[in-house]
Amino acid sequence: MCTGKCSTFVGISLYPLAILSIICNIVLFFPDLKSTYAKQDSEGLYRLTDEVKYMGGVIGGGIVVLIPAIHIHSTGRKGCCANRCGMFLSILFSAIGVVGALYSIAVAAVGLVNGPVCMTPSGSWERPFNNTGGSYLSDSEIWDRCTEPNNVVEFNIGLFSTLLVVGCLELLLCGFQGINGLFGCICGTCNNKEGP
C-alpha cells in the first residue's frame, strides 16, 4: 500500500478516537449525569476523581492526538502520496500523538486502579478502593461501599476503560504512522505515473 494512502487511513482513523476520548472525559465530570459533583462543596473540595481533573482524555487522547491527526491526514492528500518532507514531519507529529496517547493511557489506568470518589456508608466522601491495587475491579460485591453517586463505580470503570482502549488504539496508530513516515521519508513515496 502507498505510504500516502496509509497516512490518510491513519489520520482518518484518529479523528473519531480523539473525539471519543474528549467525550468520555467530559462525561466523567458528571457522575449520575448530575453537575452537582463537579461543584465545590462547603469545604472547598470537588467530589470528583482526581484523574478526571487531569483531563487525560481531553488533552492527551483528544487535542494532542487531534493535531497530529490533521497533519497526518493532510500528508496523504496529494494524489496518491505526499513528499518526503511531509512524511518526515508526519514522524514528528506521530511522536507528539504517541506522547498524548501515553498520557491518556496513564491517567485512565491510574483512575481505574484508584477507583472513584464517592460517599461511603459512614457518610464521608473518600476513595474507598484507593489502596486495593485495583482488586475491586473484579469484585463487584464490594462496590456497595459507594452509596452516592448512583452506580459511580460502574460509571468510572466503563469510561476509564474506554479511555484506556482508545488511548491504546491511538498509540498503535501513531506508532504505525511513525514507521510509515520513516519508509516514506527514506524510500520515497509512490507516485501515480500516468502516461502522456
Side-chain angles (χ1 to χ4, degrees), residues 54-186:
Y54 296 157
M55 307 273 283
V58 171
I59 296 170
I63 296 168
V64 175
V65 170
L66 196 57
I67 293 167
I70 292 167
H71 176 78
I72 290 167
H73 181 217
S74 66
T75 300
R77 280 192 185 160
K78 296 179 183 178
C80 177
C81 299
N83 58 33
R84 290 177 193 245
C85 180
M87 293 307 273
F88 175 73
L89 289 174
S90 78
I91 297 170
L92 300 178
F93 278 102
S94 295
I96 293 169
V98 165
V99 170
L102 285 173
Y103 178 67
S104 181
I105 290 168
V107 171
V110 172
L112 276 173
V113 170
N114 291 340
V117 171
C118 62
M119 182 182 283
T120 59
S122 65
S124 63
W125 285 87
E126 57 186 79
R127 293 184 94 165
F129 310 115
N130 195 17
N131 296 319
T132 64
S135 63
Y136 80 96
L137 292 167
S138 60
D139 188 5
S140 61
E141 293 180 11
I142 63 170
W143 291 357
D144 60 359
R145 289 185 191 172
C146 286
T147 58
E148 187 185 339
N150 291 331
N151 302 315
V152 70
V153 178
E154 295 92 330
F155 180 80
N156 270 26
I157 290 173
L159 291 171
F160 276 126
S161 295
T162 303
L163 283 171
L164 193 63
V165 170
V166 167
C168 289
L169 291 172
E170 290 173 337
L171 181 67
L172 288 172
L173 286 169
C174 288
F176 177 75
Q177 178 56 33
I179 295 168
N180 181 51
L182 185 64
F183 277 114
C185 185
I186 293 173

Side-chain angles (χ1 to χ4, degrees), residues 4-79:
K5 285 184 179 178
C6 286
S7 295
T8 301
F9 171 78
V10 170
I12 290 172
S13 299
L14 286 172
Y15 291 140
L17 293 173
I19 292 168
L20 180 60
S21 184
I22 291 169
I23 290 169
C24 285
N25 200 149
I26 291 171
V27 172
L28 276 165
F29 277 95
F30 305 102
D32 202 16
L33 302 179
K34 296 178 182 173
S35 63
T36 55
Y37 303 107
K39 298 176 184 173
Q40 286 183 332
D41 61 11
S42 59
E43 299 169 4
L45 301 173
Y46 294 96
R47 294 178 175 162
L48 288 175
T49 307
D50 289 336
E51 291 76 26
V52 174
K53 295 179 271 183
Y54 296 157
M55 307 273 283
V58 171
I59 296 170
I63 296 168
V64 175
V65 170
L66 196 57
I67 293 167
I70 292 167
H71 176 78
I72 290 167
H73 181 217
S74 66
T75 300
R77 280 192 185 160
K78 296 179 183 178

